[in-house]
Amino acid sequence: MHATYDAVIVGGGHNGLTAAAYLARAGRTVLLLERADHVGGATLSARAFPGVDANVSRYSYLVSLLPRQVRDELGLRIELRRRRISSYTPAAGGGLLVDTADDAATAASFASVDAGGDVDAWRAFGARTGALATRLWPTMTEPLMSRTDARRLLGADDWRDLVERPVGEVVDATFGSDLVRGIVLTDALIGTFARTHETGGRPNRCFLYHVIGGGTGDWDVPVGGMGAVAGALEAAARQAGAELLTSADVTAIEPGDAEVAWTDADGGEHRVGARHVLAACAPAVLDRLLGRAPREAPEGAQLKINMLLTRLPRLRSGIDPRTAFAGTFHVHESATELETAYQQAAAGRIPDVPPVETYCHSLTDDSILGPGLRATGHQTLTAFGLHMPARLFVADPGGSRAAALAATMRSIDSVLAEPLEDCLARDEHGRPCLEVRSPVDLEADVGLPGGHIFHRDLTWPWAERDDEVGAWGVETADRRVLLAGAGARRGGGVSGIPGRAAAMAVLGTV
C-alpha cells in the first residue's frame, strides 16, 4: 500500500465503486475502504435462502437513475430490460392494468374500475412528466445549474405544479379516481415518510426523481440481479488499478492532517494519507467520522420482503398472475389508503392495512434462478411496504418486525385467491423462503442511518445557493472532503451520479 493516495474512498457501495473506477482510469492512486467483507453495499445479490439456488436482489431491486453516460464512460457490461406491464392494481370487482404496449387495453381497464374519466388525464400527465424528464435528465451529469436556470428549463407551469405546490394537491386536481391518485402518488412516497399534501417539497422531490430516470422515467430490471450492477462497477474499478480493501472499518477522517484511520478484521489499526477523501457513506456517518455534532437523524420508512415462491399465487380478480406480477403490483395504495396508513404510523403504530407494492424479477429475468428452479416454475417476489418508519421498530426490533410482516402479508392476501404463504418455497432446513428487513435492520446490515434508503431526504437536483452554482453538489466545508454517496445533491437511488460527480470534482481540482 502507498503511504498517501490521491483519493481514499470511504464506502464500497455502487457510488464508491463508481468514483474509484473514474479516478483510477484517470491515473489517480485510489484506495477504497469498505467495512463489510464484500463490496456492493445495498446494490447486492445474494443466495438469501440456505440450500436454494436463487440469487435475489436483497435490498435495491430496480434501475432507473443510472445514466447511460456512466455505463458508456466506464465500459460497464450491464443489461437492463424494460417491463411491458407498468403496473396492476387490484380493485373491487377487478383491477387496473397499465400495459405500455396496448393503449386500448389500458383504457378499457380504467373503465372497468370506474376510472374511465381519468384516461385522458393519465395520458396527458404521463406525456407531461415524460417531456420534463427529457429536459431535466441530461443535467444530472453536468455541474449544478442555478435555481433560476432550473425554473426556466422546467417552465412556469411545471415549476408551479411540481416544485412549488404540494404534489398531492396537483394530483387531486388532475385525477378524479381515488385509485388512480394513489398509483400516481406512490412515486412521491417510496423511501419517504410524508403526507403528499405537505409543504416543503419532500414528496415533490421524491416524485421528481421517480419520473425523470433515463429521460423516460422507466424502471428497468437488471439482468442477473442488482449484484450484476455492483459486479460490473467492481470490475471496472479493479481493472483501472483501484485498490479495494474490505473488512476495513473507517474510524476517523482528519482532513487537516489529510489522514484516514481504520481497523481491520483482526482489530489492527491503520492510517493512510489522502489528498482527497470521498465519503461514499451517509452524511450522518461522515459527520461522525469527522468528529462533528450529528445532524438531524434520518429516518427510513419501508419494509422490504424477499420471497421465493413455488408458483405465483392466484388472484381474486382472475387475471393471469404472470401478467399481474410482471410490473409493479400495487396493494391497498389508493390515495385514501395511503393517507390512512400514514396517520396510523405517525401515531406510533403499524398500519392496519399496509400499502404494499410487489414485483417479480424472475418473470423478466429468470437467470437469477438455477436450472432446477426454472424447470419447476419457481418465481421470486419482492414486496416493498410503505409508511413503515424506523420509529416503529426501535424499541422492539424483532417483535415489531414480526408484527409488520404479519400485517403486510394480510394486506397482500386480501387481494389473492389463496394465502401467499401456501406458495412459499422451503429452504434446506424446511423453513419458508422469506426474508424481511425493517429500517432498523437496514442500518445494521448496510449502514443506512435510520434505514433511510436515500441516506437522508432527497434534495432538488439543482443549486439552491449561489455558491453551489457550477459545482458538483458533492462539496463540503472541508476542501479535501467530498460527499460521494446517495446523500449528495442529485443522490438517492442506484445511479452512480454522486460517485461520478465526486470524481469530476477531484479531477477538476488544480
Side-chain angles (χ1 to χ4, degrees):
M1 295 181 64
H2 301 289
T4 299
Y5 287 82
D6 292 321
V8 174
I9 299 172
V10 180
H14 81 281
N15 275 307
L17 294 169
T18 299
Y22 272 103
L23 291 173
R25 285 166 64 94
R28 304 298 175 96
T29 55
V30 178
L31 175 65
L32 181 147
L33 302 172
E34 166 57 45
R35 70 164 189 159
D37 62 2
H38 58 272
V39 295
T43 313
L44 177 70
S45 295
R47 281 174 165 73
F49 312 118
V52 178
D53 192 9
N55 210 26
V56 300
S57 297
R58 206 160 201 171
Y59 305 109
S60 57
Y61 50 98
L62 290 171
V63 175
S64 176
L65 295 166
L66 178 63
R68 166 65 68 178
Q69 183 177 349
V70 171
R71 286 179 274 160
D72 290 346
E73 288 174 347
L74 296 181
L76 303 180
R77 301 184 65 179
I78 298 172
E79 180 184 352
L80 302 177
R81 289 183 184 167
R82 186 66 39 84
R83 299 178 297 171
R84 168 176 171 168
I85 302 301
S86 176
S87 67
Y88 178 74
T89 309
L96 176 56
L97 179 70
V98 179
D99 184 340
T100 64
D102 193 335
D103 193 56
T106 298
S109 185
F110 268 74
S112 74
V113 295
D114 296 324
D118 279 335
V119 170
D120 289 342
W122 176 271
R123 292 169 179 157
F125 197 72
R128 181 181 186 180
T129 58
L132 169 65
T134 301
R135 298 194 304 274
L136 185 57
W137 180 247
T139 72
M140 298 290 280
T141 51
E142 298 174 353
L144 291 173
M145 60 181 164
S146 69
R147 186 176 176 88
T148 299
D149 286 341
R151 182 169 186 159
R152 184 179 301 113
L153 179 68
L154 268 63
D157 291 344
D158 282 349
W159 186 268
R160 179 193 66 234
D161 290 346
L162 301 180
V163 177
E164 294 181 337
R165 293 176 65 189
V167 64
E169 181 181 300
V170 175
V171 170
D172 283 353
T174 304
F175 303 101
S177 165
D178 187 47
L179 186 71
V180 175
R181 288 173 176 170
I183 294 171
V184 176
L185 289 174
T186 57
D187 281 339
L189 294 173
I190 297 298
T192 303
F193 186 56
R195 297 185 65 247
T196 57
H197 289 70
E198 75 174 39
T199 58
R202 287 192 305 153
N204 293 59
R205 295 192 294 270
C206 186
F207 181 80
L208 191 68
Y209 278 81
H210 275 86
V211 300
I212 65 171
T216 64
D218 291 307
W219 287 79
D220 298 333
V221 176
V223 174
M226 291 303 300
V229 176
L233 287 165
E234 178 184 1
R238 289 190 185 278
Q239 289 167 8
E243 298 177 42
L244 312 182
L245 188 61
T246 56
S247 299
D249 188 7
V250 175
T251 55
I253 298 172
E254 299 176 10
D257 296 329
E259 285 189 333
V260 177
W262 80 92
T263 58
D264 60 29
D266 298 320
E269 298 181 354
H270 307 268
R271 302 182 80 87
V272 68
R275 295 184 178 89
H276 285 93
V277 178
L278 278 64
C281 54
V285 174
L286 176 58
D287 285 340
R288 174 174 57 80
L289 296 176
L290 290 169
R292 295 174 175 166
R295 316 175 191 209
E296 182 179 353
E299 182 181 39
Q302 66 288 314
L303 194 75
K304 176 72 158 47
I305 307 173
N306 298 313
M307 292 169 274
L308 179 69
L309 310 179
T310 57
R311 58 180 173 80
L312 292 172
R314 294 175 288 110
L315 281 87
R316 292 179 185 271
S317 65
I319 189 173
D320 182 351
R322 295 181 65 87
T323 298
F325 288 101
T328 300
F329 183 84
H330 296 280
V331 180
H332 294 298
E333 289 191 326
S334 69
T336 298
E337 288 167 318
L338 289 170
E339 176 63 17
T340 298
Y342 172 82
Q343 295 291 353
Q344 291 175 346
R349 64 189 181 96
I350 291 166
D352 296 331
V353 184
V356 190
E357 47 193 60
T358 78
Y359 104 104
C360 176
H361 183 117
S362 52
L363 283 176
T364 304
D365 165 36
D366 64 5
S367 72
I368 64 172
L369 300 175
L373 295 179
R374 291 199 297 269
T376 52
H378 283 65
Q379 302 286 355
T380 61
L381 197 67
T382 289
F384 192 92
L386 280 68
H387 291 329
M388 292 284 186
R391 68 189 75 170
L392 302 181
F393 300 89
V394 173
D396 180 12
S400 297
R401 184 196 308 115
L405 172 62
T408 301
M409 296 295 277
R410 287 195 302 270
S411 180
I412 297 172
D413 282 349
S414 70
V415 301
L416 302 180
E418 57 185 324
L420 184 57
E421 184 177 0
D422 290 354
C423 300
L424 288 172
R426 301 276 169 168
D427 67 17
E428 64 181 3
H429 304 296
R431 297 175 301 205
C433 291
L434 181 150
E435 176 187 62
V436 57
R437 311 311 288 160
S438 74
V440 171
D441 298 320
L442 290 183
E443 181 164 13
D445 292 352
V446 286
L448 303 179
H452 201 306
I453 61 174
F454 305 139
H455 289 190
R456 61 177 174 181
D457 290 339
L458 293 166
T459 56
W460 295 114
W462 49 75
E464 294 191 69
R465 303 190 313 267
D466 290 343
D467 63 344
E468 290 183 312
V469 178
W472 287 98
V474 297
E475 295 78 7
T476 73
D478 299 293
R479 180 180 56 83
R480 298 186 187 207
V481 179
L482 300 169
L483 191 58
R489 191 171 293 282
R490 299 187 295 199
V494 176
S495 71
I497 292 172
R500 179 185 182 276
M504 295 301 105
V506 170
L507 296 175
T509 300
V510 178

